[in-house]
Amino acid sequence: MTDLRIALGAMEFGTRIDEKTSFDLLDAFVDAGGTWIDTANCYAFWQDPSGHGGQSEELLGRWFAQRPGVRDRVKLATKVGCEPLWPGSFPEHAEGLSAEAIDAAVETSLRRLQTDHIDLYWAHRDDLETPQEETVAAFGKHAAAGTIGRIGLSNFALWRVERARGLALEQGVMGPSALQLRYSYLQPRPFVRDQAHDHRFGWITDEVLDYADRNPEQDLFAYSPLMSGGYERADRPFHQAFDHPGTTRRLEALSKAAADLGVTRSEVVLAWLIGGTPSIIPIVGMSTPAYLTTALAGAHLTLPPETRTSLDQAW
């Protein structure tokens, strides 16, 4: 069976989503053929009274401990860089990407997750205060030790991605082979992205799509692909940055495609992401069995060529 090109986002597992529900969703995801599970060492500091993260990693560690053999069936991704230094200090004061911070975070994440390796380790956001040579060397050291299988960069400017790759080549260490940014079928107006999102370079743009297409060794992951439920729920309005004629046209095309295929708009969005060029792996936060069913259906859906053309041309 081919791995499903979809990741389960575990951000709220252990905080807003209780342990039993989280375990049930994880079990169902893996039983359905899902492999990628995405979390971070800072999840979910804003939902925990302590003001610090780690709850999601700890829950996953308990799940692994209670499911012998399941660790070998999944690809586990976690992140470093955004854990607050003290409660309330994010985003101005976070751990960053120094060698000391990375060393400490790897050790802590492995302990919480009750595992000896992380399949894909993300730099959660760029750290312009730390020399990039230091960050690249620290990731490379853990990759050489076998505690990291691959390295990814999230919310990075593309020029910084290429600089990291060049430094890794100079140092003879592993470089990044994955990018994680925000993306969906709808797009905000270009110069108001910062108003809709807290990472200036946290968007998949045409340049990123071209980069990933021409560098197929770079896997492209997209977070927030379903716009917090906005495609299905009237009580989840889209941010005003998405209020422009292109959104109107795209929603019309999306609604028509969903009606023609007898599926939800969210399923069409996921199929559009996965089946595009380049193929994008959506990271979907799933809090109920119904959301999981929709996400898995979207991952299995193949859009007819004429449907994809109508979706692509709707601007």
Side-chain angles (χ1 to χ4, degrees):
M1 177 185 292
T2 303
D3 289 346
L4 289 179
R5 288 186 65 80
I6 191 168
L8 187 155
M11 182 170 69
E12 297 183 309
F13 289 1
T15 49
R16 187 179 73 85
I17 304 172
D18 65 62
E19 184 152 321
K20 182 184 185 306
T21 302
S22 300
F23 278 25
D24 289 345
L25 290 168
L26 287 160
D27 290 341
F29 179 73
V30 172
D31 288 345
T35 54
W36 278 111
I37 299 174
D38 183 87
T39 188
N41 70 330
C42 68
Y43 291 162
F45 68 82
W46 57 94
Q47 293 183 344
D48 192 81
S50 71
H52 287 289
Q55 299 79 22
S56 174
E57 288 186 334
E58 290 172 347
L59 182 141
L60 288 169
R62 294 191 294 273
W63 180 64
F64 289 134
Q66 295 178 33
R67 305 290 192 275
V70 78
R71 177 67 184 89
D72 297 329
R73 297 168 58 192
V74 305
K75 295 176 181 178
L76 180 61
T78 193
K79 310 179 189 77
V80 57
C82 286
E83 170 67 5
L85 290 181
W86 61 85
S89 71
F90 184 86
E92 290 82 5
H93 303 284
E95 64 191 335
L97 298 175
S98 68
E100 181 182 8
I102 291 169
D103 289 348
V106 168
E107 180 181 354
T108 300
S109 289
L110 291 174
R111 173 177 51 78
R112 288 173 178 162
L113 292 162
Q114 301 190 43
T115 188
D116 61 359
H117 70 287
I118 298 162
D119 297 290
L120 176 54
Y121 199 48
W122 296 100
H124 205 157
R125 66 171 183 175
D126 205 350
D127 175 9
L128 298 176
E129 304 303 316
T130 297
Q132 203 165 11
E133 293 85 351
E134 178 181 339
T135 298
V136 168
F139 275 107
K141 178 183 71 173
H142 290 286
T147 50
I148 295 174
R150 293 172 60 191
I151 297 163
L153 303 179
S154 180
N155 303 306
F156 268 62
L158 207 50
W159 70 271
R160 293 278 287 178
V161 173
E162 271 301 288
R163 179 166 290 182
R165 292 180 70 188
L167 288 169
L169 284 172
E170 289 179 11
Q171 296 179 11
V173 299
M174 180 184 288
S177 62
L179 302 176
Q180 183 178 149
L181 303 143
R182 183 174 176 179
Y183 197 53
S184 186
Y185 179 59
L186 298 185
Q187 290 291 292
R189 298 192 303 278
F191 292 103
V192 295
R193 287 196 179 111
D194 289 2
Q195 305 303 313
H197 192 44
D198 58 358
H199 294 291
R200 182 182 179 192
F201 297 108
W203 295 91
I204 292 177
T205 62
D206 284 350
E207 184 179 19
V208 173
L209 291 171
D210 182 67
Y211 178 84
D213 188 34
R214 296 176 183 275
N215 295 275
E217 73 280 4
Q218 297 286 329
D219 278 330
L220 191 53
F221 290 74
Y223 61 85
S224 301
L226 297 182
M227 305 279 286
S228 301
Y231 289 113
E232 311 300 334
R233 295 177 53 172
D235 64 331
R236 299 283 180 88
F238 301 120
H239 189 278
Q240 62 182 356
F242 294 84
D243 184 13
H244 58 85
T247 291
T248 304
R249 294 172 186 145
R250 289 216 132 186
L251 286 176
E252 289 173 354
L254 183 61
S255 297
K256 183 180 186 304
D260 289 347
L261 298 173
V263 299
T264 65
R265 296 199 300 190
S266 293
E267 289 169 58
V268 175
V269 170
L270 295 176
W272 179 80
L273 290 168
I274 295 167
T277 302
S279 175
I280 298 171
I281 302 172
I283 302 171
V284 183
M286 308 169 196
S287 59
T288 68
Y291 290 158
L292 177 59
T293 297
T294 295
L296 293 172
H300 284 290
L301 178 64
T302 299
L303 298 177
E306 61 274 14
T307 301
R308 174 166 291 279
T309 297
S310 68
L311 290 167
D312 289 342
Q313 292 180 348
W315 284 114

